[in-house]
Amino acid sequence: IIPATPGGLNEFIPPPECPVFEPSWEEFADPFAYINKIRPIAEKTGICKVRPPPEWQPPFACDVDRLKFTPRIQRLNELEAQTRVKLNFLDQIAKFWEFQGCTLKIPHVERKILDLYQLNKLVNEEGGFDAVCRERRWTKISVKMGFAPGKAIGSHLRAHYERILYPYNLFQNGGNQPVRRLCFLFPLEQQTLALPCCSMLYIMSPQIDQYMCLVCGNGTAEDRLLLCDGCDDSYHIFCLMPPLHDVPKGDWRCPKCLAQECGKPPVAFGFEQAGRSYTLQAFGDMADSFKSDYFNMPVHMVPTELVEKEFWRLVSTIEEDVTVEYGADIASKEFGSGFPLSNSHFEVTPEDEHYLSSGWNLNNMPVLESSVLNHITADICGMKLPWLYVGMCFSSFCWHIEDHWMMLMQKFDSYTTSNFFHKKCIFPKTWYGAPGYAAEHLESVMKNLAPELFESQQDLLHQLVTIMNPNTLMNNGVPIYRTNQCAGEFVITFPRAYHSGFNQGFNFAEAVNFCTMDWMPIGRKCVAHYRQLSRYCVFSHDEMVCNMAYKADAMDVNLASKVQKEMTVMVHEEEQLREKINKLGVVQSRQVDYEVLPDEERQCSKCRTTCYLSGITCACSPGKMVCLYHTRDLCSCPPSNLTLHYKFTLEELYPMMESVKLRAESYKEWLSSVQDILENKGNKKRGLEELHSLVEQAETKAFPQISLLDQLRTVASEADKVAVMAQQLLNGKRQTRMWSCLTSQIPSSRPESLCLDTMRRLIDQGVGLAPHSSVERAMARLQELLTVSEQWEERALSHMEARPHRNMETLDAALQEVENIPAYLPNCLQLKDVVTKAKKWLHEAEALQLGGRIPVLDSLSELLLRAEGIPVMLEPLSRIEVLVSDVQTWKESAAKTFLLKNSPFSLLEVLCPRCDVGTGHQKSRSKKAKEATQISKKSPTKLESLSDVERALSESKDSASAVSVNAVRQREMDILLALRASNESKLVPAEHCCALGVCVCQKAPSGAMMQCELCREVFHCGCVTTPVNLEYGQAWLCPLCQWSRKPPLDKVLPLLASLQRIRVRLPEGDALRFLIERTVRWQHRVQQACTEGVLKKVSKMVSGNIKSILIPSKRTKRRKESFDSQQSEKAKKIRKNKFKKSKEKCEDTTWACSPTHPVSDPTASDSEEDYSLCAAPWCREPEGDEVNWVQCDGSCNQWFHQVCVGLSAERAEKDDYICISCTQPDYDRGE
């Protein structure tokens, strides 16, 4: 046996992973069939994991409001077997010194707590204290304990051992010695003990007067008498050896009392119940708080590997005492299962009704027809009814095997439909397992490494309270495997497979036992094993077998074969036991009905086995029963006084066994007969009656629907036809009638019944007939039909596999010819289906662009996806592919413009108003986020996530100006303003700044600080990255607010213009339009503020030139330089060609007092041309000698600056331009 490394110096090494299976939908349909399929692989590791198909998502049906439970308390360093042994040893040492009036303080060596248990164990292995001192082995012991040689550690260990452990060992070893004078030697130096310790001499003598010294027998010097605080015996302090100078200050026990206290058997270890009950939400909050505080980071950021290593470190140390809570074995019958049930309060939607009957529903699995537990009448929690488990970080389940060595199925749930669980992180559950063949090896290793625990609790591993490091077990040859069970996954443990594990954080799981038919012999071995351990059975194995035998006629034949073997073993064992008690002299007997007796009344008082077939009672011990194995242990009465209580006589058991045998062997005989017929074994011909009898037997006895049965039905049908033809020949109705019987189906039958194989078979049968004109005509007709059919089958296949694909006209023409062929042609029918799909696809493609509609990107992508499975030339396909490709190119260009490098956000997230303002900030901002949420609730919007915004953009008919998206923008502003106000308000009281938590580090403000221009939070310069060229007073955004780049408007407008040319609608484009409109409106508001407010304030202070500090309104009209009539005519001509260039010289700028009341320039020209305005709502008012214009080719005929709509002069000359206003009707028609 290799013990764990002293002090847990080695880091935990995860065991290898167990198998993980991902069944298809077909395999997933039958759970027991799939488990039997994977069993040869999975049973080798003891445990395995099954991931259901992704679409298998049962709803959460547990009654969360009613679920309230009291968890168990787990102290981690008491769970591990070797650590608990050390703690028990330290408790004994501490108790020993406490009774001597001293307080034990464990010494430190090399800055580490000395492992007294290991020191004591190593000294005992080396022969004891005297031998180690005599042979000078203290240095050797120090090396074994992990200390470096050459530092004189051995002398320190000797001193500590002599002071603390040597007196205890003398007491332990001398307690049973038959000597009159038992001597205790205690340390003289008091370095590690708080109070002076005392040595004593105790003489085992007859009763003496209470106030007499029990050593010298004298009652003098009463002031020097020392009274025991346990029994009040008296001792002179000078009679003790060595003598004491003073009476000890603390409590003191004499050797007799000390032996009684230290000799008490240890209390059986178990988990305490917590002092409070929890709801799921309260427990989840507590669990998340514990994990985040322990690891000092958000719960979802803690790696599973770190949690695993930390767990095994904690359970292996005695220095750290970490306590957690675990909600285990919660009855689903009381609070409802996580799976839906037909009779529960949970309302199942029609699309989820199939989960009610699913075999993977843990409420159904134990009672499926293939499950052996279906034949147990009682509803046993945890076995036939699921148990619920609610875990937190480090809460664990210790090494154990399932009751009766059954299999276990556990489902790990992530109930996202719950109002509570969608707010919680569901963390994995880490499992460790050992295969069933290694169960005895694992038990042996644990008993050898921690024998002290098993001496007091023989069935310790059945109590689920002891764990041991998997690395320790693996070092001793036990194969261990692990897995992390995540949400929605199943873990299966196989018979007698030890398993344990712990929770990575807050989670919710559900488990139940189940048994396949292969388990039955294993279950009988388990009952025998329980009998040796005197462990009670959860149910009677014999009762279950007899219940199955009652239903032998309807039993599955494979199960019957297993039950037959069980019945044979059971009846043979019962015969031997009854014969044994008959020889013993038990003559009285009585038949009883064991089913009506409570389990405690039919339990063997010796081995605690549940009796069913028989039991022994005696009149001297009413209410007491033993099984036939322990007849002599009932009482001391003679055997003639004993009474045999039996359920069945042996004569009643034999017919039951025969009925099961008949069921099992009848199938074997039937199977053998069918195989002989189909394989044509032997020379004996079988009659029609025998064939029909075999078919009828399979139907009446419910034999499995295997392929052999289908073949037998086919053979019987063909034989019937041959028999009819033979009878016609015997009756003189020759070839004509015979052939008409064969060919009557050709012209009159349905085409789907006349396939190519039928025609070939009819031709083969006609070849053997005598020559006749009708036969020859029918044969020629059949042959022609067969030839034509085969040719068209090949042509249809070639049409579908042709590259490039055939066009619709070719395929339509082919289908018209095929319609006239009266036969079932699979390839032609498939071709017809392909043409139907192609026509439907073309119709939808045309409908997308009817009336000038602008198609949506999702619709085009769906068409492309469907076109991949249609082997037909589709003319619009190439155009759609180009459109989708252009859109992807546009999205890539937009992403490069807006997204930061390695940005975690999508383009749509950046362009849309934020739905989660404030949620990315640290925990200290939770209050601010709540305040912001209060404000956001005032706005009547239902858009709570990016997917809602994307759906609103896709469904909106007015594109980027959708009212719902505008509401999100308003919500964003409200939350942001509340967040800014909260951040600014907390900085006002300067006297509390030391307790204030700011920045990403949540520490107090210190040194140089940066303040975000948007959220107004302050940050330490060392905690955030700042631009190198950032000047003092310049605006700066924190990492939580800097979502994207902020490109200038002249780089964004070309993106919008290029998207208009593509003429495909997508959410990102609508969001971009909305963003541009927001930008323009903001610019107008800034200009208006400058015009109305700043101008008035500055005019009072400055009498100089005001125009240098003002920003002109976007709608300000500029007077253009007057042209002569010839130039004016030329300008008008150019306008007709779509764009114009005009030289502008602003001689005097006119400033507007308000956007709605512009001030006219009195010197301006009366010509309307001189006051032309750009129709773009975001007009940038370009200035210079040349300004390029473009006119909308839509219905409005308005003019725009080319730079305002993102067009170049060359593109404006070549392509048509349609403004945003003219595209709006397209959306109305298209939606």
Side-chain angles (χ1 to χ4, degrees):
I1 298 296
I2 304 174
T5 304
L9 297 178
N10 286 350
E11 189 175 9
F12 178 78
I13 301 174
E17 293 289 326
C18 74
V20 180
F21 300 95
E22 297 181 352
S24 63
W25 272 112
E26 292 75 14
E27 295 172 324
F28 196 71
D30 188 347
F32 279 86
Y34 184 69
I35 292 171
N36 289 329
K37 179 180 179 180
I38 65 175
R39 184 168 184 166
I41 299 175
E43 201 166 20
K44 295 178 182 178
T45 58
I47 63 173
C48 73
K49 184 165 66 176
V50 177
R51 290 195 185 108
E55 297 82 7
W56 198 80
Q57 297 289 339
F60 175 38
C62 185
D63 191 349
V64 176
D65 297 330
R66 290 181 55 242
L67 178 55
K68 196 171 185 180
F69 61 94
T70 303
R72 301 169 180 173
I73 297 176
Q74 295 181 335
R75 296 177 179 86
L76 296 187
N77 57 5
E78 294 182 357
L79 295 177
E80 212 278 331
Q82 294 174 289
T83 309
R84 193 191 308 161
V85 170
K86 294 180 181 179
L87 291 174
N88 291 343
F89 178 77
L90 292 178
D91 287 342
Q92 290 293 321
I93 295 291
K95 184 187 296 184
F96 173 79
W97 286 112
E98 180 185 356
F99 290 150
Q100 299 307 306
C102 305
T103 301
L104 175 66
K105 292 183 179 179
I106 303 176
H108 286 69
V109 177
E110 290 289 300
R111 299 180 180 178
K112 294 190 301 183
I113 294 179
L114 179 61
D115 190 344
L116 293 176
Y117 171 79
Q118 189 183 16
L119 176 62
N120 184 71
K121 186 176 181 181
L122 290 175
V123 171
N124 291 339
E125 290 175 355
E126 294 293 334
F129 177 75
D130 295 333
V132 173
C133 292
R134 184 173 57 253
E135 300 178 12
R136 299 180 179 180
R137 298 180 186 172
W138 289 107
T139 302
K140 179 181 178 182
I141 289 178
S142 68
V143 174
K144 285 186 176 181
M145 292 186 68
F147 297 106
K151 292 187 177 182
I153 303 298
S155 60
H156 295 291
L157 296 181
R158 173 180 175 174
H160 294 316
Y161 184 91
E162 188 173 9
R163 283 193 296 269
I164 301 174
L165 298 176
Y166 188 52
Y168 174 76
N169 283 325
L170 282 179
F171 165 72
Q172 291 290 89
N173 296 332
N176 297 323
Q177 292 180 1
V179 295
R180 184 175 179 79
R181 296 170 64 86
L182 179 61
C183 179
F184 283 70
L185 296 179
F186 291 92
L188 300 178
E189 297 177 318
Q190 306 302 325
Q191 295 179 2
T192 61
L193 302 174
L195 298 176
C197 59
C198 44
S199 303
M200 64 213 75
L201 177 69
Y202 174 59
I203 302 177
M204 304 294 294
S205 58
Q207 293 184 355
I208 304 175
D209 187 80
Q210 182 177 2
Y211 300 102
M212 296 293 179
C213 175
L214 293 182
V215 178
C216 65
N218 196 341
T220 60
E222 293 184 0
D223 59 331
R224 312 294 284 174
L225 277 175
L226 180 63
L227 295 180
C228 173
D229 290 309
C231 62
D232 290 337
D233 285 346
S234 306
Y235 298 87
H236 284 124
I237 59 175
F238 51 78
C239 289
L240 298 174
M241 187 176 295
L244 294 178
H245 299 290
D246 298 305
V247 176
K249 296 180 181 179
D251 291 343
W252 180 82
R253 297 290 194 280
C254 67
K256 181 177 65 176
C257 294
L258 189 62
Q260 291 177 352
E261 291 294 336
C262 295
K264 291 180 179 180
V267 179
F269 178 77
F271 297 135
E272 304 174 11
Q273 292 294 109
R276 59 165 292 190
S277 297
Y278 291 90
T279 61
L280 280 180
Q281 183 168 1
F283 190 86
D285 293 339
M286 180 273 295
D288 287 348
S289 177
F290 169 84
K291 185 175 181 180
S292 62
D293 292 343
Y294 186 89
F295 290 100
N296 196 23
M297 66 177 73
V299 290
H300 63 278
M301 296 180 63
V302 184
T304 57
E305 298 81 3
L306 175 62
V307 179
E308 184 174 26
K309 291 180 180 179
E310 182 66 11
F311 172 78
W312 290 113
R313 188 190 70 81
L314 289 174
V315 300
S316 301
T317 181
I318 61 174
E319 293 88 354
E320 299 184 45
D321 186 11
V322 176
T323 302
V324 296
E325 298 180 1
Y326 189 24
D329 301 341
I330 305 171
S332 64
K333 187 176 183 180
E334 182 177 355
F335 302 108
S337 166
F339 289 95
L341 293 170
S342 56
N343 57 350
S344 69
H345 71 285
F346 182 76
E347 296 182 4
V348 182
T349 60
E351 56 269 19
D352 290 336
E353 286 184 352
H354 64 280
Y355 292 113
L356 294 172
S357 58
S358 172
W360 294 90
N361 184 327
L362 296 192
N363 299 279
N364 300 332
M365 178 165 283
V367 295
L368 291 176
E369 186 177 355
S370 304
S371 173
V372 175
L373 296 183
N374 187 32
H375 302 277
I376 298 177
T377 55
D379 289 336
I380 306 172
C381 285
M383 184 171 291
K384 289 187 68 177
L385 298 176
W387 258 338
L388 309 178
Y389 297 86
V390 186
M392 64 177 291
C393 183
F394 297 146
S395 62
S396 63
F397 52 103
C398 301
W399 286 110
H400 70 286
I401 49 180
E402 296 303 310
D403 291 332
H404 290 257
W405 298 351
M406 294 184 185
M407 301 173 74
L408 174 74
M409 174 77 74
Q410 183 169 108
K411 167 70 162 50
F412 192 77
D413 298 311
S414 174
Y415 298 126
T416 55
T417 58
S418 168
N419 292 331
F420 164 61
F421 276 98
H422 81 281
K423 302 177 183 176
K424 290 290 179 186
C425 295
I426 304 298
F427 297 98
K429 184 189 291 284
T430 300
W431 289 71
Y432 305 97
Y437 67 81
E440 294 182 359
H441 188 190
L442 184 145
E443 294 169 357
S444 175
V445 169
M446 292 190 68
K447 289 178 181 178
N448 288 329
L449 290 178
E452 298 88 345
L453 299 182
F454 289 89
E455 288 174 0
S456 57
Q457 284 182 276
Q458 292 292 331
D459 61 344
L460 181 64
L461 290 177
H462 295 287
Q463 306 304 319
L464 282 78
V465 294
T466 306
I467 203 167
M468 183 169 282
N469 195 311
N471 289 166
T472 304
L473 296 173
M474 295 170 68
N475 292 338
N476 287 277
V478 181
I480 302 293
Y481 301 88
R482 74 174 299 282
T483 190
N484 283 333
Q485 183 187 13
C486 299
E489 297 177 340
F490 290 93
V491 166
I492 301 174
T493 67
F494 288 84
R496 209 182 182 184
Y498 271 97
H499 51 279
S500 67
F502 68 95
N503 299 294
Q504 294 272 348
F506 174 63
N507 56 37
F508 190 97
E510 187 170 357
V512 76
N513 289 117
F514 69 99
C515 298
T516 61
M517 61 185 70
D518 296 328
W519 163 85
M520 296 188 69
I522 300 175
R524 183 165 293 278
K525 290 181 182 178
C526 179
V527 173
H529 182 72
Y530 282 0
R531 187 180 293 116
Q532 295 176 357
L533 296 177
S534 297
R535 185 174 187 271
Y536 70 92
C537 300
V538 180
F539 62 90
S540 171
H541 189 88
D542 292 337
E543 181 179 359
M544 180 191 68
V545 173
C546 291
N547 288 339
M548 298 168 76
Y550 283 138
K551 307 172 185 177
D553 294 339
M555 189 185 304
D556 179 81
V557 291
N558 295 318
L559 180 59
S561 178
K562 300 290 183 181
V563 175
Q564 178 194 353
K565 296 177 182 178
E566 279 295 295
M567 285 288 295
T568 303
V569 173
M570 182 185 73
V571 173
H572 179 67
E573 181 181 358
E574 189 68 16
E575 285 176 342
Q576 291 182 331
L577 290 173
R578 293 193 186 184
E579 183 180 356
K580 179 180 177 180
I581 63 168
N582 286 336
K583 291 181 179 179
L584 190 64
V586 178
V587 294
Q588 302 181 54
S589 62
R590 188 163 71 96
Q591 191 168 17
V592 296
D593 189 0
Y594 278 97
E595 287 95 337
V596 300
L597 295 178
D599 286 347
E600 57 271 13
E601 293 185 14
R602 56 173 178 149
Q603 196 176 78
C604 175
S605 59
K606 176 65 177 178
C607 66
R608 304 179 72 181
T609 298
T610 303
C611 300
Y612 179 72
L613 290 179
S614 56
I616 299 293
T617 63
C618 182
C620 72
S621 305
K624 190 176 180 181
M625 180 182 290
V626 294
C627 64
L628 270 59
Y629 282 97
H630 301 103
T631 303
R632 297 180 182 273
D633 299 313
L634 177 61
C635 60
S636 58
C637 298
S640 59
N641 291 356
L642 304 180
T643 302
L644 170 67
H645 290 242
Y646 62 89
K647 170 69 176 175
F648 304 104
T649 63
L650 292 177
E651 288 73 19
E652 291 172 331
L653 286 175
Y654 294 142
M656 293 172 59
M657 184 172 61
E658 286 299 320
S659 63
V660 177
K661 180 180 179 181
L662 179 63
R663 173 66 174 172
E665 293 184 349
S666 63
Y667 177 69
K668 294 179 181 177
E669 293 175 358
W670 177 88
L671 192 62
S672 177
S673 299
V674 172
Q675 289 175 340
D676 290 344
I677 292 174
L678 297 179
E679 296 174 6
N680 198 19
K681 293 181 179 179
N683 298 323
K684 182 180 179 181
K685 299 292 183 181
R686 307 298 179 115
L688 270 177
E689 293 77 7
E690 183 177 358
L691 293 179
H692 288 294
S693 174
L694 290 174
V695 173
E696 183 180 359
Q697 187 179 357
E699 295 173 350
T700 55
K701 294 186 177 182
F703 287 161
Q705 297 294 322
I706 57 178
S707 59
L708 288 178
L709 180 58
D710 295 333
Q711 297 178 31
L712 179 64
R713 290 193 178 103
T714 302
V715 169
S717 176
E718 294 294 331
D720 286 338
K721 293 180 181 179
V722 173
V724 171
M725 289 187 289
Q727 187 64 40
Q728 289 178 349
L729 288 173
L730 292 175
N731 292 338
K733 299 176 181 179
R734 303 286 304 171
Q735 293 89 342
T736 302
R737 290 189 180 181
M738 179 182 250
W739 181 249
S740 63
C741 176
L742 291 173
T743 60
S744 59
Q745 57 180 323
I746 299 175
S748 60
S749 65
R750 293 173 306 209
E752 58 268 19
S753 64
L754 188 60
C755 60
L756 297 179
D757 291 338
T758 302
M759 288 187 279
R760 294 188 186 101
R761 180 170 53 80
L762 290 174
I763 291 174
D764 291 340
Q765 291 177 354
V767 171
L769 298 176
H772 193 275
S773 59
S774 60
V775 173
E776 293 173 356
R777 286 195 301 271
M779 287 280 288
R781 182 181 173 189
L782 264 179
Q783 187 63 53
E784 180 184 3
L785 181 59
L786 177 61
T787 302
V788 173
S789 299
E790 289 176 341
Q791 290 176 351
W792 271 108
E793 279 289 85
E794 294 176 1
R795 290 176 62 182
L797 185 61
S798 65
H799 282 318
M800 290 186 290
E801 295 179 350
R803 294 295 182 275
H805 297 314
R806 301 282 195 269
N807 55 32
M808 286 293 299
E809 293 74 11
T810 302
L811 299 182
D812 277 331
L815 287 178
Q816 289 179 0
E817 296 184 34
V818 172
E819 290 293 334
N820 299 323
I821 300 177
Y824 175 72
L825 306 177
N827 290 345
C828 294
L829 292 177
Q830 186 178 356
L831 179 62
K832 184 178 180 181
D833 183 58
V834 166
V835 171
T836 302
K837 291 181 179 179
K839 290 180 178 179
K840 182 179 179 182
W841 188 94
L842 290 171
H843 176 73
E844 294 180 6
E846 293 174 0
L848 283 179
Q849 295 186 346
L850 283 178
R853 293 181 180 177
I854 297 180
V856 181
L857 178 61
D858 291 343
S859 302
L860 297 179
S861 301
E862 182 186 0
L863 283 177
L864 284 181
L865 184 62
R866 288 168 51 194
E868 293 178 0
I870 302 176
V872 179
M873 182 183 296
L874 305 171
E875 294 182 1
L877 181 59
S878 59
R879 297 196 301 274
I880 295 176
E881 289 175 343
V882 171
L883 281 177
V884 173
S885 176
D886 290 344
V887 169
Q888 296 300 330
T889 303
W890 182 90
K891 290 175 70 174
E892 293 174 2
S893 177
K896 290 179 181 179
T897 303
F898 282 96
L899 297 187
L900 296 170
K901 186 177 181 181
N902 300 325
S903 173
F905 305 109
S906 66
L907 179 61
L908 186 59
E909 285 180 294
V910 168
L911 295 178
C912 286
R914 293 174 60 181
C915 299
D916 55 351
V917 176
T919 59
H921 294 66
Q922 52 270 32
K923 288 185 178 180
S924 64
R925 300 192 181 183
S926 60
K927 184 177 181 181
K928 294 177 284 184
K930 289 181 181 178
E931 294 173 359
T933 304
Q934 296 287 339
I935 296 175
S936 67
K937 287 182 179 179
K938 296 178 182 179
S939 60
T941 178
K942 297 183 179 180
L943 305 185
E944 301 293 343
S945 65
L946 181 65
S947 59
D948 296 335
V949 177
E950 182 177 3
R951 184 173 63 253
L953 288 174
S954 300
E955 296 176 355
S956 174
K957 296 183 179 181
D958 56 355
S959 183
S961 60
V963 177
S964 55
V965 182
N966 195 30
V968 178
R969 180 198 62 78
Q970 185 59 41
R971 176 174 174 266
E972 175 191 38
M973 291 300 299
D974 293 340
I975 299 177
L976 188 56
L977 290 174
L979 185 62
R980 286 167 60 94
S982 177
N983 286 336
E984 290 173 345
S985 63
K986 72 178 183 180
L987 298 174
V988 174
E991 63 274 9
H992 301 297
C993 64
C994 294
L996 184 63
V998 297
C999 187
V1000 293
C1001 63
Q1002 283 297 288
K1003 295 181 180 179
S1006 62
M1009 303 293 292
M1010 299 286 294
Q1011 187 172 31
C1012 177
E1013 188 70 19
L1014 187 58
C1015 67
R1016 307 304 291 171
E1017 178 66 294
V1018 293
F1019 297 83
H1020 300 103
C1021 290
C1023 294
V1024 294
T1025 304
T1026 58
V1028 180
N1029 56 353
L1030 185 67
E1031 298 179 359
Y1032 179 78
Q1034 184 178 348
W1036 173 79
L1037 295 182
C1038 67
L1040 299 174
C1041 295
Q1042 184 71 32
W1043 272 40
S1044 67
R1045 293 191 179 99
K1046 294 187 178 295
L1049 193 60
D1050 56 357
K1051 289 187 178 181
V1052 178
L1053 290 175
L1055 286 174
L1056 185 60
S1058 60
L1059 182 60
Q1060 291 173 345
R1061 290 192 298 273
I1062 298 175
R1063 294 186 64 79
V1064 174
R1065 187 178 173 194
L1066 65 161
E1068 289 82 356
D1070 293 342
L1072 180 60
R1073 293 189 185 95
F1074 185 77
L1075 179 62
I1076 292 175
E1077 290 184 2
R1078 289 181 63 186
T1079 305
V1080 172
R1081 285 195 296 269
W1082 181 85
Q1083 288 179 345
H1084 279 303
R1085 287 196 298 271
V1086 171
Q1087 290 178 352
Q1088 182 180 355
C1090 292
T1091 303
E1092 295 179 349
V1094 178
L1095 182 60
K1096 294 178 181 179
K1097 294 179 182 179
V1098 176
S1099 62
K1100 297 178 181 180
M1101 300 165 49
V1102 184
S1103 60
N1105 185 9
I1106 302 177
K1107 290 188 282 188
S1108 61
I1109 63 169
L1110 296 179
I1111 302 175
S1113 170
K1114 287 186 179 180
R1115 289 297 184 183
T1116 299
K1117 297 182 178 181
R1118 293 170 294 176
R1119 185 172 61 84
K1120 302 176 184 178
E1121 184 179 359
S1122 298
F1123 295 95
D1124 55 22
S1125 59
Q1126 183 178 359
Q1127 290 172 329
S1128 178
E1129 291 297 330
K1130 183 178 180 181
K1132 292 181 180 180
K1133 184 176 181 180
I1134 294 176
R1135 275 190 175 219
K1136 296 180 180 178
N1137 292 328
K1138 277 190 57 190
F1139 74 101
K1140 68 179 180 180
K1141 296 182 179 180
S1142 62
K1143 295 185 178 181
E1144 299 180 354
K1145 292 185 179 179
C1146 300
E1147 298 176 355
D1148 187 12
T1149 304
T1150 303
W1151 301 95
C1153 295
S1154 70
T1156 57
H1157 297 86
V1159 178
S1160 301
D1161 188 350
T1163 62
S1165 171
D1166 294 334
S1167 174
E1168 191 175 324
E1169 289 291 322
D1170 295 337
Y1171 289 96
S1172 296
L1173 293 178
C1174 174
W1178 52 81
C1179 178
R1180 304 174 62 195
E1181 295 192 357
E1183 297 180 359
D1185 294 338
E1186 285 190 357
V1187 178
N1188 296 333
W1189 293 73
V1190 65
Q1191 186 179 24
C1192 174
D1193 290 307
S1195 58
C1196 69
N1197 294 323
Q1198 296 185 90
W1199 287 88
F1200 301 85
H1201 294 127
Q1202 290 181 11
V1203 69
C1204 294
V1205 295
L1207 285 181
S1208 63
E1210 293 77 10
R1211 183 171 294 278
E1213 288 180 340
K1214 296 179 181 178
D1215 300 333
D1216 290 342
Y1217 168 71
I1218 300 177
C1219 67
I1220 296 177
S1221 301
C1222 294
T1223 61
Q1224 296 299 327
D1226 294 334
Y1227 289 120
D1228 295 336
R1229 292 191 300 269
E1231 293 295 303

